């Protein structure tokens, strides 16, 4: 091989590598990213059972039921619709009725959302951003004065 | 004192403007006097910033609630240590720490940069001044920590309880030392572009700065990871949280820079690439600052969610990244290319390293920014988490880790893969053995687990092989070998330690992810639970009172095989009165390199408690490996090679500008 | 003042940092090539060390040495001509003087806009050490809190602080303070009833089971404890047992000393119990417009009762403070309006006695009473 050919082959190999990495990245974005929904949006979106999504909203007051062991059932609402969620594990410290929450998981075949992680807002000043935006869009959110 | 601090901050801003303009004009016109202004101004600017920071810290220590920032983030009953660390546990204070470190590094360049060509030094200080001026202005206009309250409130609103922790007290300063350390590399690059030439001393100077920044960034990330592990109570050590990514991207780019700077220094090759990489690394640091500080992300760290701040930082970001890249596009062609090399050589291996690392940084960047872009463009909200990164980052890392041991064993210019492979036979055999033992003899080990263990052992053994080969193992007598070993340059030890640390971290990750076990159950006092051969008995909940919180502490006894208790683990639910906020303190017990990890859930009406229990084998290696990597960087920094220029002063006293301090 | 001195010193220092290098002598700087040469020399010596250690093959070393040599040669060839364009000395002077001026002007200007130079530092310890008389209630509370943080087993301290918390509406703090006081200094009716009130207030006025328990404990120690009796009545009313509540309060009225502030609270509670929506209120100090309005809507016998208690309260007040001209006249008129001429007459007698039979006021009272048809008994 001449020097020119050598250089060319190195460049081609490099570009092929980058193309493969880019392809993998976009494939992964399509497959592995989970979409965020509020309960009312699920009516129009087609979410298959088993597909990973994030479900956010407020924990509906009076719906938190502790089942056997560490399993908890509650409903997530955006004040228009509410979705039943079950979760096994330890709820975050800031999980409270009437407060914002994001759950991640998938719907079971019975229509109940089985969450494998539950995020509550991290401090008193902070509401999960997606939830706040969603509620604002629905006109339910009232900006609080506290910072 | 408070107002003195405020005034010092304003004065430091004024000086930073002088620092950014006067030496630059001096370097353009070749005026020695104007260039000489850079040094003293930089050092004075640092002294004033330090005074300002001290004033704020003492306001925190003395609970001076006439300072709004103190009132918002402190409480008179907090322990002193958290009063002081509260100084940077909030947006305003942490930005002040940021510029303090920036001016500190600037002052270091000013004081120890006498062996640099005068114009290069002047330009570097000017670029540092620009960064400083932008951030001083940001602090003074949008995030001033010295805003006063009159009359002063009597009690503060307490530091966010999640941040009242020693780990978090150390994490931000380390991280900032890393982020901001790369600013020096950036300034050197921009200065070289302004001058239109890269001096040989340029490469020699950029490398130690990269090492310093990389060392602190490694420590900062490890500390942050450990903090998240024990404080958030989820038992995870890495969440691919956007803010973690924000610190990880500069680390990946900085690691690439660390390696390409070697090529540049040794062979004068990859000059332009190294320059670009230095710009990109600091740009990613700035991006990290932007992502965290602007509040565009949903994250634990987002304690600033003020649009004005976000816009301001975005302007800084655009100005510096855009400006430096434009300058690069304009000037890069005028820089001369360096030495040639064969694809299979030390240089070639390092290029491959750069290719993988920068691509990995790019995938992390895409994964972090894509949700933001998508939301801005279509309004759709997605979250990109571990599954994405497992699929993209993982495949990029595996081949990189496989080639790591080859790199140091290849010769410069033209290497011999076969000779290197022969030297690595022992390491390979060891890795293979570890893989087989894991796969065959450990219950529940998957193929991935076996491969992971093999890869980790390969890295560790490869690093040791490097040391052995360079000491002449197998070709000289043991005594000679020992002497040679002791005489190896410290940078060789540095390389080996860093690669060894990487292997240890990988071993910790594989051990925890593949062999860890977990249980969630409700327990009543007196009940016992078994997990991976460890028996725990729940003793009960005990209320306690801390300085600014009350807690219910759950005590567990570790029961040995003989039925006796041989250790205790306790986890607590804390309640902080001032913020009306609860936190969970996880219980951790280290057994060898592994840990038992325990987190407390809600208390039921009948006195039972939800308990989540993990067995995390080898988990301490994750952060221990980080410490070893840091030690490697420190070792490399101590290499005499990096102290070049000291002779310049001795032999040519006239050549050096005397330090203005 | 001290601050301005420090600020001036700092400004001076910063300006000097700019000024001194500008006026100082210039040391001959070496061209950049010299620095590069230094680096190459160092690389050569490093190469020699590596060869000596056997880290590098002699062949490779030769090649590397040749390469460094080539770089040194290139350096000599490309040595830059002395820095071009030294710039007009006028321009340089302009830049220099601007830089020196910018530091004080900019800093004082900007600080003038942002700073609060008149405010001294106010560390908490210093503020707490001030004379208590100058302190606000908040500061006094903070001082007490600091004391209790250091001596958490000082029951008396908690006892003092608890009602203050209650008045400042820091109910959770009040609850824990009362609990601490009870734990450390023992039970008392006042503490238990205070605890009950704090619990109820924290719950927005609802008398919960916990609050009820505290009130009952208070009554066990002192059956006449007004606060406990009152709130237990409120609790009954909240449970919808209004009749029992009213009965309890009626019974209280009979036992209360006539000047008790609880009388008006009970009146208010009566008023509210008459309303369909029952909400507990904090004890108020006297009948206000709202209460009077409520009185208008009451059943006649209730209104009568309310007015009677008010009159009794007034009579008691005058017993304490007899030199209240207005008050006596109101009392006399009230008795007259209520159709109790005997009592009106007695009140007149007492009023006259209070001011002396020959006084101006006595004559006025007699005339006033006469206009109402009340004549003094001789």
């Amino acid at each position: 091989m001449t020097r020119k050919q050598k250089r060319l082959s190195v460049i081609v190999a490099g570009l092929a590598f980058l193309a493969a990495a880019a392809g993998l990245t976009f494939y992964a974005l399509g497959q592995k990213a989970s979409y965020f929904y509020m309960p009312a949006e699920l009516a129009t979106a087609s979410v298959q059972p088993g597909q990973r999504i994030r479900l956010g909203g407020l924990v509906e007051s009076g719906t938190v039921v502790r089942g056997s062991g560490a399993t908890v059932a509650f409903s997530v609402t955006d004040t228009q619709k509410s979705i039943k969620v079950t979760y096994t594990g330890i709820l975050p410290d800031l999980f409270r009725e009437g407060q914002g929450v994001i759950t991640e998981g998938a719907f079971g075949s019975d229509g109940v959302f089985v969450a494998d992680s539950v995020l509550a807002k991290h401090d008193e000043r902070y509401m999960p951003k997606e939830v706040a935006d969603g509620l604002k869009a629905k006109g339910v959110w009232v900006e609080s004065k506290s910072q | 004192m408070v107002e003195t601090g405020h005034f010092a901050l304003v004065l430091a801003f004024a000086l930073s403007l002088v620092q950014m303009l006067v030496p630059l004009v001096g370097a353009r016109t070749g005026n020695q006097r104007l260039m000489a202004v850079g040094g003293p101004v930089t050092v004075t600017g640092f002294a004033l910033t330090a005074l300002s920071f001290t004033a704020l810290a003492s306001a925190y220590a003395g609970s001076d609630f006439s300072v709004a920032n103190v009132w918002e983030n402190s409480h008179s009953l907090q322990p002193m240590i958290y009063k002081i660390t509260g100084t940077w546990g909030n947006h305003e204070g942490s930005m002040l720490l940021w510029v303090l470190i920036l001016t500190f590094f600037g002052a270091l360049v000013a004081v120890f940069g006498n062996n640099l060509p005068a114009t290069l030094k002047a330009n570097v200080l000017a670029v540092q001044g620009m960064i400083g001026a932008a951030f001083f202005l940001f602090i003074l206009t949008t995030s001033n920590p010295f805003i006063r309250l009159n009359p002063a409130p009597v009690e503060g609103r307490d530091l966010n309880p999640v941040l009242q922790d020693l780990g978090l007290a150390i994490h931000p300063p380390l991280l900032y030392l890393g982020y901001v350390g790369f600013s020096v590399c950036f300034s050197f690059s921009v200065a070289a572009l302004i001058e239109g030439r890269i001096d040989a001393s340029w490469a020699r100077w950029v490398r130690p700065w990269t090492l310093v920044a990389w060392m602190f960034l490694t420590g900062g990330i490890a500390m942050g990871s450990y903090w998240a592990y024990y404080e958030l109570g989820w038992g995870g050590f890495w969440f691919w949280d956007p803010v973690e990514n924000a610190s990880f991207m500069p680390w990946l780019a900085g690691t690439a820079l660390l390696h390409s700077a070697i090529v540049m220094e040794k062979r004068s090759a990859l000059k332009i690439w190294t320059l670009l990489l230095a710009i990109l690394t600091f740009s990613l640091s700035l991006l990290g600052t932007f992502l965290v500080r602007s509040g565009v992300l949903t994250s634990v760290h987002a304690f600033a969610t003020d649009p004005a701040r976000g816009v301001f930082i975005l302007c800084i970001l655009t100005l510096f990244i855009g400006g430096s890249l434009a300058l690069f596009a304009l000037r890069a062609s005028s820089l001369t290319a360096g030495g040639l090399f064969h694809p299979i050589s030390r240089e070639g291996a390092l290029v491959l390293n750069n290719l993988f690392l920068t691509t990995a940084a790019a995938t992390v960047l895409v994964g972090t920014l894509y949700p933001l872009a998508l939301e801005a463009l279509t309004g759709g909200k997605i979250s990109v988490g571990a599954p994405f990164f497992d699929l993209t980052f993982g495949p990029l890392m595996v081949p990189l880790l496989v080639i790591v041991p080859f790199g140091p064993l290849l010769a410069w210019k033209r290497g011999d893969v076969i000779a290197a492979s022969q030297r690595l036979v022992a390491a390979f055999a060891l890795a293979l053995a570890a893989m087989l033992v894991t796969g065959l003899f450990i219950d529940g080990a998957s193929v991935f687990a076996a491969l992971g263990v093999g890869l980790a052992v390969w890295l560790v053994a490869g690093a040791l092989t490097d040391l052995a080969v360079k000491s002449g193992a197998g070709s000289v007598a043991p005594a000679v070998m020992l002497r040679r070993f002791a005489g190896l340059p410290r940078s060789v030890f540095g390389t080996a330690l860093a690669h060894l640390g990487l292997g240890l971290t990988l071993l910790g990750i594989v051990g925890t992810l593949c062999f860890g076990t977990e249980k969630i159950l409700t327990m009543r006092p007196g009940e016992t639970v078994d997990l991976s051969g460890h028996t725990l008995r729940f003793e009960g909940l005990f209320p306690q009172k801390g300085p600014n919180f009350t807690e219910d502490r759950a005590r567990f006894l570790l029961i040995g095989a003989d039925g006796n208790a041989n250790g205790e683990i306790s986890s607590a639910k804390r309640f902080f009165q001032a913020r009306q906020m609860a936190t969970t303190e996880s219980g951790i017990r280290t057994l060898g390199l592994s840990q038992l990890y325990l987190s407390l859930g809600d208390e039921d009406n009948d006195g039972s408690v939800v308990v989540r229990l993990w067995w995390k084998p080898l988990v301490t290696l994750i952060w221990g490996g980080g410490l070893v990597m840091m030690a490697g960087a420190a070792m490399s920094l101590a290499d005499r090679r990096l102290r070049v220029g000291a002779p310049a002063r001795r032999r040519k006293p006239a050549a050096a500008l005397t330090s203005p301090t | 003042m001290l601050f301005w001195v420090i600020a001036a010193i700092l400004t001076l220092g910063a300006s000097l940092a700019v000024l001194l290098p500008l006026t100082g002598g210039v040391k001959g700087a070496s061209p950049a090539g010299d620095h590069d040469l230094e680096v190459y020399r160092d690389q050569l010596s490093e190469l020699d060390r590596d060869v000596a250690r056997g880290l590098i093959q002699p062949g490779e070393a030769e090649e590397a040495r040749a390469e460094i040599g080539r770089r040194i040669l290139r350096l000599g060839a490309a040595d830059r001509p002395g820095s071009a364009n030294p710039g007009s000395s006028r321009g340089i002077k302009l830049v220099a003087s601007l830089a020196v001026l910018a530091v004080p002007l900019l800093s004082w200007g900007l600080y003038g806009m942002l700073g609060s130079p008149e405010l001294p530092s106010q560390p908490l310890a210093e503020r707490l050490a001030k004379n208590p008389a100058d302190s606000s209630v908040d500061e006094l509370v903070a001082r007490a809190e600091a004391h209790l943080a250091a001596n958490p087993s000082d029951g008396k301290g908690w006892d003092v602080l608890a009602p203050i918390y209650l008045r400042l509406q820091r109910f959770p703090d009040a609850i824990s303070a009362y609990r601490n006081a009870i734990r450390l200094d023992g039970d008392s009716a006042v503490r238990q009833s205070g605890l009950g009130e704090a619990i109820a207030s924290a719950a927005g006025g609802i008398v919960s089971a916990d609050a009820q328990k505290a009130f009952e404990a208070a009554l066990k120690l002192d059956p006449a404890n007004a606060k406990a009796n009152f709130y237990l009545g409120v609790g009954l009313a909240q449970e919808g047992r209004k009749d029992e509540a009213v009965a309890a309060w009626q019974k209280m009225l009979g036992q209360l000393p006539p000047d008790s502030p609880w009388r008006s609270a009970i009146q208010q509670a009566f008023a509210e119990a008459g309303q369909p929506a029952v909400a507990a209120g904090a004890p108020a100090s006297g009948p206000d417009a709202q209460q009077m309005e409520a009185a208008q809507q009451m059943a006649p016998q209730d209104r009568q009762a309310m007015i009677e208690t008010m009159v009794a309260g007034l009579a008691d007040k005058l017993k304490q403070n007899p030199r209240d001209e207005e008050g006596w006249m109101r009392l006399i008129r009230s008795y007259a309006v209520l159709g109790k001429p005997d009592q009106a007459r007695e009140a007149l007698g007492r009023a006259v006695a209070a001011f002396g039979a020959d006084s101006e006021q006595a004559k006025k009272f007699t005339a006033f009473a006469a206009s109402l048809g009340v004549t003094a008994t001789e």
Side-chain angles (χ1 to χ4, degrees), chain B residues 71-146:
Chain B
W71 169 69
E72 272 172 19
N73 299 293
S74 191
H75 193 280
S76 64
L77 298 182
Q78 251 166 245
M80 182 51 84
I81 173 87
Y82 298 138
K83 279 187 188 174
I84 292 172
T85 62
T87 313
W88 57 83
N90 60 86
H91 170 76
E92 289 84 356
S94 70
M95 288 322 292
L96 189 58
L97 178 69
W98 206 97
V99 288
L100 175 69
I101 294 172
L102 183 77
T103 52
F104 171 66
F105 282 140
L108 285 186
V109 175
V111 172
F112 296 105
N114 294 321
N115 48 349
L116 283 173
T119 50
L120 179 62
K121 182 179 167 186
N123 281 328
V124 168
L125 292 181
V127 179
Q128 284 276 308
M130 286 177 208
I131 304 170
F135 276 90
F136 277 123
L137 194 64
F138 171 67
I139 291 177
L140 287 173
T141 53
T142 71
S143 321
N144 195 329
F146 291 108

Side-chain angles (χ1 to χ4, degrees), chain B residues 3 29 64 115 148 487 641 654, chain C residues 28 35 46 53 86 111 120 122:
Chain B
E3 289 303 313
T29 58
D64 185 343
N115 48 349
R148 302 295 294 272
R641 204 154 49 88
Chain C
H35 290 270
E46 186 191 334
R53 285 186 190 126
Y111 180 77
Q122 300 169 38

Side-chain angles (χ1 to χ4, degrees), chain B residues 1 3 7 11 29 31 33 44 62 64 76 115 148 152-154 197 200 204 265-267 487 489 641 651 654, chain C residues 11 17 22 24 28 35-36 38 42-43 46 53 67 80 85-86 92 107 111 116 120-122 124 127 142:
Chain B
M1 184 65 195
E3 289 303 313
F7 184 77
L11 203 52
T29 58
N31 185 298
R33 284 192 176 135
T44 315
D64 185 343
S76 64
N115 48 349
R148 302 295 294 272
V154 172
R197 69 187 287 272
R204 288 248 160 173
E265 187 202 336
K266 282 271 188 188
R267 294 288 332 280
R641 204 154 49 88
R651 280 183 230 154
Chain C
T11 315
L22 286 174
H35 290 270
D36 282 4
E38 214 42 66
D42 194 69
Q43 284 182 342
E46 186 191 334
R53 285 186 190 126
E67 190 176 292
R80 280 179 295 180
N85 180 25
I92 303 270
S107 58
Y111 180 77
S116 323
S121 296
Q122 300 169 38
L124 194 62
R127 289 164 69 195

Side-chain angles (χ1 to χ4, degrees), chain C residues 177-193:
Chain C
Y178 272 120
R179 289 221 164 107
N180 283 330
I182 291 168
R183 178 169 54 84
L184 296 162
D185 276 15
D187 252 355
S188 86
V190 175
R191 286 176 201 140
Q192 284 289 4
S193 59

Side-chain angles (χ1 to χ4, degrees), chain B residues 559-641:
Chain B
I559 309 291
D562 54 357
N564 291 327
N566 52 6
E568 190 191 296
I569 308 181
S570 70
S571 168
K573 282 247 172 233
R574 282 190 181 164
F575 186 73
F576 289 79
Q577 195 75 46
R579 288 212 182 204
Q580 295 283 306
M581 190 169 157
T583 65
T584 305
E585 297 294 307
S586 49
I588 295 176
R589 189 171 177 88
T590 307
L591 301 163
L593 293 171
S594 312
Q595 288 185 332
L596 262 177
Y597 185 113
L598 196 151
S599 184
L600 216 55
D602 292 297
E603 194 182 346
D604 248 341
N605 296 329
D606 59 350
S608 64
V609 184
V610 178
V611 175
R612 190 161 184 183
L613 204 63
W614 288 268
W615 170 243
K616 297 195 166 285
L618 302 181
V619 72
T620 54
L621 283 181
I622 295 176
W623 309 289
L627 285 179
V628 175
M629 285 188 238
M630 281 180 85
M635 202 75 166
S636 278
L637 266 176
D639 195 291
R640 56 168 291 163
R641 204 154 49 88

Side-chain angles (χ1 to χ4, degrees), chain A residues 53-86:
Chain A
I53 63 161
R54 282 187 154 201
L55 172 69
L58 302 171
V59 182
E60 197 171 344
S61 290
T63 60
V64 179
V65 180
R66 292 184 196 283
S68 59
T71 301
V72 188
F74 54 91
S75 291
V76 169
T77 180
D78 53 8
T79 69
Q80 293 172 10
K81 275 198 71 183
S82 63
I83 302 275
K84 266 201 154 92
V85 177
T86 64

